[in-house]
Amino acid sequence: MLLNPVISKLAGKRVVLASASPRRQDILSNVGLRFEVVPSWFKETLDKSMFSAPYEYAVETAKQKALEVARRMHVKHLKTPDIVIGADTIVTLEDAILEKPFDKQDAYNMLSRLSGKEHSVFTGVAIVHCTSQEDNQLETDIIDFYEETKVKFAELSEDLLWEYIDSGEPMDKAGGYGIQALGGMLVESVHGDFLNVVGFPLNHFCKKLAEMYYRPAKHTIHRVKHDSIPYVESFENLSDVEKDCSTSSKTCEAKKGVHDGVCKTRGSGSSVPCTPRLQNGLEETPPHCSQKLAKIFDLLDGFKASKTLFAASKLKVFDKLKDKGALKAMEIADKINASVHRTERLLDACVALGLLEKTHQVYRNTELANMYLVSDAPFSFHEYINYSNDHLWSHFTHLDSTIVEGRGPHETPHKKTCDGTHGPEVEERCMRVNHCTLKITARDIVTAFDLSKYSSACDLGGGTGALAHELVGTYPEIKVNVFDLPEIIKHSSLFQPENLDFRRLTFTSGNFIEDALPAADLYILSRVIHDLPDEKLNHLLRKVSDACHPGMSGLLIAEIVLDEDKKVPRGLLQALTINEEGKQRSGTEYKKLLENHGFNRIQIKITGNLLDAIFAVKR
């Protein structure tokens, strides 16, 4: 049931809520709105001193949350939403923004300040309309607003404060309380929208939808004439609307690309402040208000962000914070034997990139950093990050030379390769890099298709067995044989988990180009195809096809699959670093390649991870 008729205007549209908050989901669900939940990865690390009022901070954070989701869904998920809703709720006391408490004592200090006083709760909301253009660029139109509610706390006793703090509820909430739960017992009065304090100003949201989707009825428009200025049209009673009208009002003229003080943006989805200037009484759009320029800025700063991550990883900043939980800049500088001033700059940059969190000059890892950036984390990217810094970086540093001279980056004098010609240390490091990256994507690969009917598999060029580990763990009946070069198999024991069942996982030395292939129901080629010249690739696929049983045997491939228009950057950027004879392919190209070697029933799964999955059956 739709309790507000304006909600019906969103029916049939792909509406996305850029928030994991169950309270916001409940509020919007209860009025009949159908939406997807895609939590934003934007970290709330904006510099609060840059905003003249607290609500501006909330609005900008909401806007950036929504834009991050819109951009990610368009580029990574290949699903452009129609509308993305972002929201951010903050608690303020005397214009000071109260963060989430970082321990029980901080929660006590925060709630003690609120005791017996009235404070403000602001929620900033951004409604982002998304359109995919013919050139696959994302165009966004942003409407934003905020709501303020006054909340007064009762005088709180020490016993009540500590009883509430010991419940654990304050620790993940801005201001240290949740009005919809136990925190409600602390509140004496509420002036304004109660749902705004819970997390979403529903009434204001519906009014904003009415402004966007309904034009005013003609009888509500009044012409007002003043001396020396033209007629001005105004309207009242916005809630008394006609249901046939569907266009939203614009703050700035559409032909200037400006809506509610924000430029329409394309490409990366970031917004460019666009305050109209007056010249001889006429609005003029600033010349810098251009998404093309904003995209160039993003590209120019991209390497700086990468190098910031590289430096923090090489200095093991994330490891130090994982061990100690939270440290000040001076303490981290001491542990990494570095300049305090420069360390603080590095840490602040990591906060801005969403890798660290900062509260009261104390730094801690984000969940993302603990999961992927700490060197001993189960799914650590640490080895690959350092490898990117020490080796892959040089590929792009000398990219112009490799293009002019027609050499692959592995052939330049600036790069040590992973082909085993530079000794066991380099070879072992490359195995560690390949192992950590494959561990990240292995589960998505082996679960992309149902492989439960296969009792045996052979992972050709399976290296450390990272994909095989996941396959054995996912399918209880399968046995896997990892088939790779002798020098690779020799080091593979370094990467085996303690609980590995060697009755179901074996390692066999051999060359899949020159030697006979071991028998199996399912063959696997992970990150092999893109690097082979056509002659070797066709030879390998013929061998695999000949070893397969028609209508039964399968082939599982793990590679980056390019989009058909070849406009998604990641695979194309990766292609710059492979050898001259290698090639990244689209889904259509893979289908044609496999059909030419006797495979059909070809399926392709874009995983959203480092590698995509392709499955085929021998015809």
Side-chain angles (χ1 to χ4, degrees):
M1 177 181 178
L2 294 174
L3 298 181
N4 191 310
V6 297
I7 297 293
S8 65
K9 289 296 181 182
L10 302 183
K13 296 181 182 293
R14 183 187 290 275
V15 179
V16 175
L17 176 63
S19 171
S21 166
R23 276 82 61 187
R24 292 188 181 121
Q25 295 172 32
D26 289 343
I27 291 170
L28 290 172
S29 295
N30 287 340
V31 294
L33 180 63
R34 298 176 64 111
F35 56 89
E36 301 174 39
V37 175
V38 181
S40 178
W41 294 352
F42 176 77
K43 295 300 181 180
E44 300 169 34
T45 54
L46 297 173
D47 185 355
K48 299 176 183 64
S49 65
M50 300 297 291
F51 301 91
S52 59
Y55 71 84
E56 293 179 356
Y57 169 81
V59 169
E60 185 62 27
T61 300
K63 187 188 305 180
Q64 294 303 327
K65 286 180 178 179
L67 286 170
E68 187 280 323
V69 168
R71 179 167 62 248
R72 175 156 46 96
M73 290 188 70
H74 177 73
V75 174
K76 187 174 181 180
H77 298 178
L78 302 179
K79 297 191 300 184
T80 303
D82 295 310
I83 293 173
V84 180
I85 303 167
D88 185 62
T89 301
I90 61 173
V91 175
T92 67
L93 180 65
E94 299 168 350
D95 286 339
I97 298 176
L98 303 185
E99 305 279 1
K100 296 175 184 177
F102 57 84
D103 58 23
K104 287 188 174 183
Q105 186 60 48
D106 190 40
Y108 173 80
N109 296 337
M110 197 175 289
L111 293 169
S112 297
R113 290 178 63 189
L114 295 174
S115 177
K117 296 179 183 177
E118 185 178 71
H119 62 272
S120 291
V121 178
F122 292 98
T123 298
V125 178
I127 306 170
V128 178
H129 289 256
C130 306
T131 307
S132 182
Q133 300 300 302
E134 292 182 1
D135 58 357
N136 202 36
Q137 295 293 304
L138 177 68
E139 182 174 291
T140 59
D141 186 5
I142 307 167
I143 306 294
D144 57 57
F145 63 90
Y146 73 93
E147 182 74 24
E148 179 183 14
T149 303
K150 297 285 189 180
V151 179
K152 185 177 180 182
F153 268 24
E155 294 286 349
L156 307 178
S157 66
E158 290 282 312
D159 290 343
L160 181 59
L161 273 177
W162 283 110
E163 180 183 353
Y164 181 56
I165 292 169
D166 287 338
S167 75
E169 187 176 278
M171 305 313 297
D172 64 341
K173 294 175 176 60
Y177 76 97
I179 197 170
Q180 72 282 354
L182 293 176
M185 67 184 179
L186 314 178
V187 175
E188 185 175 280
S189 63
V190 177
H191 299 283
D193 186 346
F194 175 82
L195 291 181
N196 181 56
V197 187
V198 177
F200 195 82
L202 181 62
N203 181 268
H204 198 157
F205 175 71
C206 290
K207 287 179 179 177
K208 189 60 67 174
L209 289 182
E211 292 178 18
M212 292 160 52
Y213 287 106
Y214 292 119
R215 289 175 179 170
K218 290 185 178 179
H219 69 272
T220 66
I221 301 178
H222 308 286
R223 288 185 177 272
V224 183
K225 191 174 189 308
H226 299 275
D227 293 339
S228 74
I229 63 173
Y231 283 104
V232 176
E233 288 187 349
S234 63
F235 61 89
E236 301 170 352
N237 303 323
L238 188 59
S239 60
D240 182 18
V241 293
E242 297 176 352
K243 291 189 177 180
D244 332 350
C245 304
S246 60
T247 56
S248 62
S249 59
K250 303 297 181 183
T251 303
C252 303
E253 293 180 7
K255 66 181 181 180
K256 293 185 179 179
V258 184
H259 302 275
D260 281 12
V262 179
C263 285
K264 278 191 173 182
T265 62
R266 303 182 67 192
S268 66
S270 57
S271 59
V272 183
C274 186
T275 305
R277 299 179 297 174
L278 292 177
Q279 183 173 344
N280 299 325
L282 299 175
E283 282 189 0
E284 180 184 345
T285 304
H288 67 270
C289 188
S290 165
Q291 171 57 22
K292 291 182 180 179
L293 189 57
K295 188 170 184 64
I296 291 174
F297 288 156
D298 288 343
L299 293 173
L300 285 172
D301 287 338
F303 83 93
K304 301 173 188 175
S306 296
K307 271 296 189 180
T308 299
L309 171 61
F310 295 166
S313 182
K314 193 163 190 175
L315 295 170
K316 292 199 170 182
V317 168
F318 307 109
D319 284 33
K320 308 301 181 188
L321 287 170
K322 178 67 182 298
D323 293 340
K324 299 298 181 181
L327 294 169
K328 293 183 178 180
M330 182 179 297
E331 296 170 316
I332 298 173
D334 182 60
K335 290 183 177 299
I336 64 175
N337 194 27
S339 156
V340 175
H341 182 60
R342 289 289 179 178
T343 299
E344 186 172 19
R345 288 187 179 182
L346 175 64
L347 297 174
D348 286 340
C350 287
V351 170
L353 293 173
L355 307 177
L356 299 178
E357 295 174 350
K358 181 181 181 182
T359 307
H360 304 302
Q361 306 306 312
V362 174
Y363 299 88
R364 56 173 52 84
N365 283 344
T366 60
E367 182 181 352
L368 182 76
N370 281 332
M371 186 176 296
Y372 297 115
L373 303 182
V374 174
S375 62
D376 60 355
F379 297 100
S380 176
F381 257 117
H382 181 77
E383 287 288 350
Y384 185 68
I385 291 169
N386 288 346
Y387 175 75
S388 297
N389 183 44
D390 298 339
H391 297 280
L392 295 184
W393 186 262
S394 64
H395 291 178
F396 290 92
T397 300
H398 304 283
L399 182 61
D400 52 344
S401 298
T402 63
I403 290 172
V404 170
E405 297 168 15
R407 299 183 300 189
H410 295 274
E411 301 168 326
T412 68
H414 314 289
K415 173 71 175 71
K416 289 185 178 181
T417 68
C418 287
D419 60 4
T421 59
H422 292 273
E425 289 186 6
V426 173
E427 185 176 308
E428 186 180 322
R429 182 181 184 185
C430 289
M431 290 182 69
R432 289 199 305 269
V433 170
N434 291 332
H435 185 75
C436 86
T437 55
L438 200 51
K439 278 181 66 177
I440 299 294
T441 194
R443 179 142 187 92
D444 284 337
I445 297 300
V446 304
T447 60
F449 314 102
D450 182 6
L451 306 176
S452 59
K453 71 175 184 179
Y454 295 107
S455 59
S456 63
C458 181
D459 190 355
L460 303 175
T464 63
L467 191 64
H469 298 161
E470 194 66 45
L471 198 60
V472 167
T474 303
Y475 301 100
E477 304 301 323
I478 200 168
K479 294 181 178 180
V480 184
N481 183 4
V482 176
F483 188 68
D484 212 327
L485 297 171
E487 56 267 29
I488 300 296
I489 299 299
K490 180 176 61 178
H491 296 294
S492 64
S493 60
L494 301 173
F495 301 92
Q496 307 315 309
E498 295 179 359
N499 59 347
L500 184 65
D501 184 357
F502 283 100
R503 293 171 301 176
R504 297 175 55 212
L505 179 59
T506 56
F507 290 81
T508 304
S509 297
N511 185 321
F512 56 65
I513 295 293
E514 299 173 359
D515 300 334
L517 303 182
D521 299 327
L522 174 70
Y523 288 94
I524 303 170
L525 291 171
S526 174
R527 295 188 299 188
V528 171
I529 290 180
H530 75 276
D531 219 19
L532 293 178
D534 287 345
E535 183 180 353
K536 285 188 176 181
L537 174 58
N538 289 322
H539 173 70
L540 174 61
L541 290 178
R542 278 195 300 270
K543 290 181 66 174
V544 173
S545 181
D546 291 343
C548 287
H549 298 291
M552 297 175 56
S553 299
L555 172 61
L556 178 65
I557 296 172
E559 291 281 0
I560 295 174
V561 178
L562 300 178
D563 61 299
E564 295 302 325
D565 295 328
K566 298 187 178 178
K567 290 185 177 179
V568 178
R570 185 173 173 273
L572 299 172
L573 294 175
Q574 186 83 0
L576 294 171
T577 66
I578 64 178
N579 63 60
E580 187 72 17
E581 295 178 316
K583 181 182 179 182
Q584 300 282 17
R585 293 171 172 84
S586 67
T588 300
E589 289 172 316
Y590 272 113
K591 285 183 178 180
K592 184 177 180 180
L593 177 67
L594 294 174
E595 286 171 351
N596 288 342
H597 288 88
F599 291 93
N600 62 2
R601 290 152 58 186
I602 299 164
Q603 303 175 62
I604 296 174
K605 178 69 177 291
I606 305 300
T607 66
N609 207 316
L610 293 173
L611 298 173
D612 302 310
I614 306 163
F615 178 73
V617 176
K618 174 66 180 292
R619 188 184 303 118

